[in-house]
Amino acid sequence: MNKSVAQKRADELRRLLEHHNYRYYVLDDPEVPDAEYDRLIRELESLESTYPDLVTPDSPTQRVSGTPMEGFATIQHRVPMLSLGNAFSETEVAEFCRRVSQGLEREDIIFAAEPKLDGVAISLTYVQGLLTTAATRGDGERGEDVTANVRTIRAVPLKLLGDGWPALLEVRGEIYMPRSGFDAFNRKALANGEKPLVNPRNGAAGSLRQLDPQLTAQRPLAFYAYSTATRDQLPDTQLDTLERLKDWGIPVNPEVRRVQGLAGCLDYHRRIGLLRPTLGYDIDGVVYKVDRFDQQGFLGFVSKAPRWALAHKFPAEEEITRLVDIDIQVGRTGALTPVARLAPVFVGGVTVTNATLHNEDEIRRKDVRPGDWVVVRRAGDVIPEVARAIHERREGTLAEFQMPEVCPECGSRVERVEGEAVARCSGGLVCPAQRKHSIRHFATRKAMDIEGLGDKLVDQLVEEGLIHTVADLYHLSHEQLTALDRMGGKSAENLLKALEKSKTPPLNRLLYALGIREVGEVTAHSLAAHFGTMEALQDASVETLTEVSDVGPIVAAHVAAFFQQEHNRQVIQALSDAGVKWQALETQVGEQPLAGEIWVLTGALSMPRIQVKNLLESLGAKVTGSVSAKTTTLLAGEAAGSKLKKAEKLGIKIISESDFVDYVGSHGLSV
Ligand code: IVH
């Protein structure tokens, strides 16, 4: 290729790469797979190495500079980087709205409402559309020059797109580490015996302060802008300004909204609070900003914070407390879970006294010992966990935790399979803890749905020796039940009716209810759909089992092992003898209700995407990544973007998450 052809191709590649970056980071709607992006970048790299004078400083290949820095230079901020006033309660927000209204002498002010990202503040300066400096907040007046590191972050454009940008533009925003990147980074670090990152915020801060940009480049960082420090050639409201930044290729959080008055603010706070677990990055609250800049100017500042903005924080997700002791809980499958008994602590909006410690390896890795001060984390509705111990605060010598060698519930030997993290009680259904759990599980709503058979009652029935297996439930008599504590004639009657009613479950529900390891509702449904009858499934080999969609070798091995055990077959026989008659699946193989349909998922869904995908596939649908003329249905979650627009344009059927849940429910499944 001669030089002028190479020059043309290099220009074209840079334009393409900028375009794909924009699609990926600003629109959150990649057009091409990552591999294609990598291919383009490699092509450009190869052209540039053949003709080194074709290299431009803003070329996408020039993100990582070769030489590590020696400490960071100091940069004086043109406009100081301020902080925000905080509120934790609705009363404080009401107080803020009142003050703003009073200052502006009008009601129902329009605010820009934004998620408050939990990352690191950064100030980016663009001169003639090119990124020239990136500085941390520092003390607000002077920050550190981290330009070389920030250049490695693909979400930050090296060159502004489009036109109409001012000669000097200073953008302020937050560098953060997405949760997925954080998890992946830590998985790798642990596998390599390296120290994992404490949390995504520390991860982002630490990555930015690497002296070698090569290291920063390997960290999964991203960026959202939230304001500018210059006002030249920009609109006169906050939201319009953010929109303009987007046009220039600068990522802006898709959840920013205009809201009105106190009610609008509180509503936004609630909504984002609900979305929080699905966002994919950490936020610690929302920010309200008076939208109009002239009104902001009128309100001005108090000491170091603007009067026109407020951070409305969520309850902290991490708090410190004392680890009193470590107990062992025995689960349905015999798994021994160490549970932390804690001095009560208010975290994530509730008082927590117990938290999971996962398993023995985790305890060793985190070196957590009874008596330690620990950080407890409760994010959303997730089970609280001990995130780490504060070793600096350890007093005296504390004894290390030891996993017991025998089950604390039944005295059977505790086993730990090579390569597995979980220790298990070997007692099987001899162990009352396992028996109780498996019977409780059998009765739950998504399993046999036996109303009135709660955990306490199951415990009592097992302890009194009235039931040993789930089949015994169907032999309970009115007299036996009324002889129990707190069981009246009416309740006993209702329970017997509920048991009677549960005798005709669809096969998939019964399979789920049996509590086979690794067999959740979706897998149970796939198995029932594939085999049709219990007999066919009972005799299936591991090989045949793996033919079922979403059944891998591990699940297949668990299923086969379950049916090989004589006492499990006996329980199934006893259920049948007691009059339990399982029905074929409502939706039979070959007549799957969504067969032939092609679905696309978009927006924030409140359940894991993989779960939704599995469900759809078990109903016969195909799930693809992008909307095309072939797409039959779009499942649109919150804040769906360009895929939704495209589907609307193509006249494709669009259904909301709640409609989807109803639809799936009507097919005897639940999400
Ligand atoms: S505005 C004068 N908007 O929160 C207003 N800040 O205490 C300056 N932050 O370290 C900040 N998300 O980095 C603003 N949407 C958002 C934000 C946000 C996160 C951080 C910011 C600063 C701290 C302010």
Side-chain angles (χ1 to χ4, degrees), residues 224-264:
Y224 278 135
Y226 55 66
S227 70
T228 63
T230 49
R231 282 285 151 79
D232 248 14
Q233 281 171 258
L234 284 168
D236 42 24
T237 66
Q238 165 71 4
L239 274 186
D240 293 342
T241 300
L242 295 182
E243 272 307 310
R244 187 67 52 88
L245 295 182
K246 260 164 74 175
D247 295 339
W248 294 333
I250 299 172
V252 168
N253 192 298
E255 302 303 333
V256 299
R257 295 286 182 281
R258 245 181 206 115
V259 300
Q260 194 173 14
L262 174 63

Side-chain angles (χ1 to χ4, degrees), residues 16-38:
L16 269 171
L17 286 161
E18 276 162 14
H19 167 76
H20 291 314
N21 250 351
Y22 176 74
R23 293 286 305 233
Y24 192 95
Y25 289 103
V26 181
L27 301 184
D28 190 20
D29 185 24
E31 201 174 274
V32 294
D34 292 359
E36 169 68 4
Y37 184 93
D38 295 343

Side-chain angles (χ1 to χ4, degrees), residues 82-84 86 114-122 137 173-174 226-227 284 287 289 301 306 308-309 311:
L82 302 175
S83 57
L84 290 168
N86 279 335
E114 309 170 1
K116 184 172 187 302
L117 265 93
D118 204 4
V120 181
I122 197 88
R137 180 168 182 273
E174 202 87 350
Y226 55 66
S227 70
D284 57 353
V287 185
K289 301 172 185 171
F301 299 85
W308 44 263

Side-chain angles (χ1 to χ4, degrees), residues 287-523:
V287 185
Y288 312 124
K289 301 172 185 171
V290 169
D291 191 38
R292 275 172 51 177
F293 291 149
D294 59 338
Q295 293 182 336
Q296 288 188 0
F298 197 79
L299 289 164
F301 299 85
V302 267
S303 64
K304 289 218 151 143
R307 277 205 191 83
W308 44 263
L310 180 77
H312 187 183
K313 304 285 271 291
F314 294 128
E317 290 190 326
E318 287 193 349
E319 285 295 349
I320 293 171
T321 190
R322 198 72 176 247
L323 174 63
V324 178
D325 209 349
I326 299 179
D327 285 354
I328 297 293
Q329 241 168 34
V330 184
R332 178 160 59 81
T333 58
L336 266 51
T337 308
V339 178
R341 303 284 173 228
L342 304 165
V345 59
F346 191 74
V347 52
V350 298
T351 302
V352 168
T353 50
N354 299 321
T356 179
L357 279 159
H358 302 290
N359 57 53
E360 197 179 356
D361 292 351
E362 280 286 297
I363 298 181
R364 293 256 175 284
R365 189 176 67 73
K366 294 175 178 163
D367 187 16
V368 179
R369 304 180 187 191
D372 265 334
W373 287 96
V374 292
V375 175
V376 178
R377 182 176 165 80
R378 179 181 181 272
D381 288 332
V382 180
I383 303 169
E385 61 164 359
V386 171
R388 57 190 175 277
I390 305 174
H391 295 128
E392 299 74 25
R393 278 175 79 173
R394 187 175 280 173
E395 294 147 12
T397 44
L398 298 174
E400 259 186 66
F401 167 79
Q402 289 296 337
M403 202 61 164
E405 283 171 12
V406 295
C407 170
E409 296 280 344
C410 70
S412 303
R413 211 167 14 82
V414 168
E415 289 172 343
R416 196 174 149 181
V417 177
E418 266 294 307
E420 259 194 41
V422 183
R424 284 177 205 280
C425 159
S426 60
L429 292 180
V430 169
C431 177
Q434 291 184 54
R435 229 175 324 146
K436 284 176 188 170
H437 279 296
S438 65
I439 299 170
R440 286 176 188 176
H441 171 76
F442 186 80
T444 51
R445 197 171 55 78
K446 292 175 181 177
M448 300 291 274
D449 193 15
I450 306 170
E451 216 175 305
L453 188 58
D455 292 358
K456 292 243 162 58
L457 182 55
V458 171
D459 291 358
Q460 222 183 336
L461 290 168
V462 172
E463 279 156 23
E464 298 284 329
L466 292 176
I467 53 175
H468 294 90
T469 74
V470 291
D472 297 335
L473 285 168
Y474 295 96
H475 297 293
L476 286 169
S477 70
H478 195 267
E479 296 78 67
Q480 281 176 322
L481 288 173
T482 46
L484 295 171
D485 282 354
R486 291 187 298 271
M487 175 67 83
K490 189 76 196 153
S491 314
E493 217 168 282
N494 287 342
L495 177 58
L496 290 173
K497 267 195 205 137
L499 280 162
E500 201 54 41
K501 207 175 114 196
S502 73
K503 280 183 173 174
T504 48
L507 179 58
N508 53 311
R509 274 187 178 248
L510 178 67
L511 283 177
Y512 172 67
L514 289 174
I516 306 166
R517 267 178 66 191
E518 303 289 337
V519 176
E521 287 166 275
V522 176
T523 308

Side-chain angles (χ1 to χ4, degrees), residues 53 74 76 145 163 189 212 262 267 351 367 391 429 494 497 503 535 570 588 596 620 624 631 667:
D53 52 336
T74 307
Q76 172 90 31
D145 180 354
D163 46 30
D212 183 354
L262 174 63
D267 203 48
T351 302
D367 187 16
H391 295 128
L429 292 180
N494 287 342
K497 267 195 205 137
K503 280 183 173 174
E535 291 68 29
Q570 279 166 6
Q588 282 291 357
T624 65
T631 309
H667 286 274

